[in-house]
Amino acid sequence: MDIQASKIELAKMILDLEDSKLIEKVRKLITKEKKDFYDELSEDQKLEIQFGIDQLDRGEKVSWEDFKASRRNRHA
């Protein structure tokens, strides 16, 4: 079943619901899923992310291969 057909089937199922508690649960689930995870982060976490972005913007980066090599050398 493609995504559009699934959405239509789900909408029909929701329209057929009579249980107000279940409808509220569905509403909360859909609302929760639409939230951006970034909004749930602490201010410290957001600052750390911005710090990393700023470093990348300045060209301060290390390739994945170089990073792995540095970890191997450190623990050898």
Side-chain angles (χ1 to χ4, degrees):
M1 181 179 300
D2 72 353
I3 189 72
Q4 292 303 322
S6 295
K7 288 167 42 176
I8 290 169
E9 184 175 331
L10 181 58
K12 287 178 183 178
M13 292 169 66
I14 292 170
L15 289 171
D16 288 339
L17 290 175
E18 297 296 330
D19 183 342
S20 61
K21 289 180 181 178
L22 183 54
I23 292 169
E24 183 60 21
K25 286 181 181 180
V26 171
R27 187 190 67 74
K28 285 181 180 179
L29 175 67
I30 292 170
T31 302
K32 181 181 176 186
E33 291 297 317
K34 287 186 176 183
K35 288 183 183 176
D36 187 340
F37 82 93
Y38 188 81
D39 296 333
E40 304 294 320
L41 298 176
S42 70
E43 287 306 310
D44 285 342
Q45 290 170 318
K46 291 176 182 178
L47 287 172
E48 289 293 328
I49 290 170
Q50 188 57 53
F51 180 73
I53 292 169
D54 292 343
Q55 285 180 309
L56 290 172
D57 289 345
R58 291 190 304 267
E60 299 172 12
K61 54 191 167 196
V62 176
S63 74
W64 176 243
E65 292 304 319
D66 289 344
F67 174 78
K68 289 192 307 186
S70 74
R71 298 293 112 189
R72 281 192 298 268
N73 293 338
R74 189 179 260 186
H75 297 291

